[in-house]
Amino acid sequence: MKLKVFHRTHYSYEKPIVDSFNEARLQPVDNATQQRHSFILKVLPSTRLKHYLDFYLNCVHLFELPNPHSELSVEATSIVTTTNTLLLTADATTCRLADLESDSVFNQCYDFLQSSPYVEIGPDIWRMAIDIIENETDIWQIAQRIMRYVYTEFRYAPNSTHVHTTMHEVLQLRSGVCQDFAHVMLGLCRALKLPARYISGYLYNGPAEHLKGAQASHAWVEVYIPPHGWVGLDPTNNRIVDGHYVKIGAGRSYSDVPPVRGTYRGTQERKMTVDVLVSLIDAEATTPEIKPAS
C-alpha cells in the first residue's frame, strides 16, 4: 500500500536559546519490502541540513542553530509503498535455538545479543524467558511466544512512562507504550541468545482496525531468523509486521534511533508537541488479511 507520513515536532522555549545542535532520524528506509518515493525535511528557523549514515546504517540529518530563537519546528513528510508479503506465517517452523550458536550468526548479530541502554539482561530476565517459552525449541515460535506474553501481560497505558524508562522499570509497572513493550521483548529474546533489534517507525491504522500506537511514532522488534534474516514482530498489537508498518531505523534500543535529539544553551523551561499522521494514498489491488499471531 502507498502511505503518506507527516511528522512534526515543535519546541517552544520560555526564553530564547542559542547554540542548538540537533539530529533527526525521520527518513524511511528504502529496501526490498519498502520503497521510499520522497522525503522532505523542513526546519524552522531555516538552516542548512547535512546527513550521514550512522553505525547501524540509519540516515541521520544534522542541523545547528547558533543564533537566539524561541521556537523550533522539525517537519518531515514522506511517501512510501509497503508490501504485505510476509517472510514467515505464524505457524511456520524454522530452526532450533541451538542452531544460532554458530560464529557467523554471533559475528553478524553481536550488538543485538547484548545488554544495551534501557535493556539490561540478567539472570532474572533469563529465568522469565525460560518460563515463557516452556519446552519450545523453534526460534520463530519462541519469538512469537515472547511477543504474545508481552502483549497479554502488560497494559498499554499512554503517559505512564517516558522516553528514558528502562526495561526493568516497565517490568515493575507492568504497563507502558510501544517503546516499553519493545524493550521488554528485546530483553527476553536476548536473554535466550535470540538476536533482536529495536525498530522505529510508524503504523497505519486502517478504517477497520483498532491498532495501538498508530498516529504516533511507533516501535517494534525484529528477530533474526536464519535463513530469512530479520523478521518484524509488534508486541504492542500481537502482530507480525506487514504493509501497515513504515520503517525508519534500527538499533539496540530507543537511544539509537530517537526521532529528534539535540542540545542547546539556555532555559530548561520548554514545551514539546508532536503531531503524526499516517494516511493511505493507494491500497494494493489485493491485500491479504493479516491476523494477529494466535
Side-chain angles (χ1 to χ4, degrees), residues 53-59 111-112 197 249-253 256-257:
L53 296 181
D54 67 13
F55 183 77
Y56 298 110
L57 302 181
N58 305 308
C59 183
D111 280 6
F112 308 115
R197 62 186 186 183
R252 297 164 300 167
S253 50
D256 287 332
V257 281

Side-chain angles (χ1 to χ4, degrees), residues 14-276:
E14 186 179 66
K15 297 178 181 179
I17 66 164
V18 295
D19 296 337
S20 177
F21 298 89
N22 303 273
E23 297 179 345
R25 290 171 171 82
L26 295 167
Q27 179 173 295
V29 302
D30 194 278
N31 58 22
T33 60
Q34 175 178 295
Q35 181 183 3
R36 182 182 68 247
H37 300 288
S38 64
F39 173 75
I40 300 174
L41 183 64
K42 296 181 180 179
V43 175
L44 291 174
S46 60
T47 185
R48 182 181 179 185
L49 299 175
K50 303 177 183 178
H51 69 276
Y52 72 97
L53 296 181
D54 67 13
F55 183 77
Y56 298 110
L57 302 181
N58 305 308
C59 183
V60 184
H61 284 85
L62 301 174
F63 60 92
E64 53 187 81
L65 298 162
N67 298 323
H69 55 284
S70 299
E71 294 184 278
L72 169 62
S73 179
V74 183
E75 182 179 297
T77 304
S78 310
I79 296 179
V80 300
T81 296
T82 60
T83 175
N84 271 319
T85 302
L86 298 181
L87 291 174
L88 291 166
T89 58
D91 58 352
T93 56
T94 53
C95 62
R96 297 176 305 143
L97 191 60
D99 296 333
L100 288 176
E101 297 178 359
S102 67
D103 289 341
S104 60
V105 171
F106 183 81
N107 292 335
Q108 181 174 350
C109 304
Y110 178 84
D111 280 6
F112 308 115
L113 287 165
Q114 315 300 318
S115 294
S116 61
Y118 305 111
V119 181
E120 183 178 352
I121 305 168
D124 55 334
I125 303 302
W126 175 82
R127 182 70 261 177
M128 182 185 297
I130 290 294
D131 291 340
I132 291 168
I133 68 171
E134 297 178 331
N135 296 318
E136 182 60 66
T137 60
D138 182 271
I139 60 174
W140 176 235
Q141 297 305 317
I142 285 173
Q144 290 184 86
R145 285 196 182 192
I146 293 174
M147 174 182 69
R148 287 194 292 269
Y149 173 84
V150 177
Y151 173 78
T152 303
E153 298 296 326
F154 292 79
R155 182 173 61 93
Y156 184 81
N159 303 317
S160 62
T161 57
H162 51 77
V163 294
H164 301 298
T165 301
T166 67
M167 177 193 70
H168 282 282
E169 291 172 327
V170 178
L171 288 172
Q172 293 181 354
L173 291 170
R174 311 300 289 188
S175 64
V177 293
C178 57
Q179 171 185 315
D180 306 305
F181 284 33
H183 283 157
V184 173
M185 184 171 175
L186 288 174
L188 292 168
C189 288
R190 292 175 187 172
L192 297 171
K193 302 302 180 184
L194 174 57
R197 62 186 186 183
Y198 183 99
I199 304 298
S200 69
Y202 306 99
L203 173 59
Y204 169 66
N205 195 4
E209 284 127 352
H210 303 281
L211 303 177
K212 302 182 184 73
Q215 306 307 351
S217 292
H218 195 56
W220 59 94
V221 171
E222 285 184 350
V223 291
Y224 187 75
I225 311 290
H228 306 280
W230 294 101
V231 184
L233 293 169
D234 180 3
T236 304
N237 292 288
N238 189 36
R239 187 182 177 101
I240 301 172
V241 169
D242 57 18
H244 287 71
Y245 294 78
V246 176
K247 181 178 176 179
I248 297 294
R252 297 164 300 167
S253 50
Y254 170 82
S255 58
D256 287 332
V257 281
V260 182
R261 175 170 58 196
T263 62
Y264 64 88
R265 291 197 300 119
T267 178
Q268 294 184 356
E269 299 298 323
R270 69 173 189 179
K271 181 180 179 182
M272 181 183 74
T273 57
V274 179
D275 299 298
V276 174

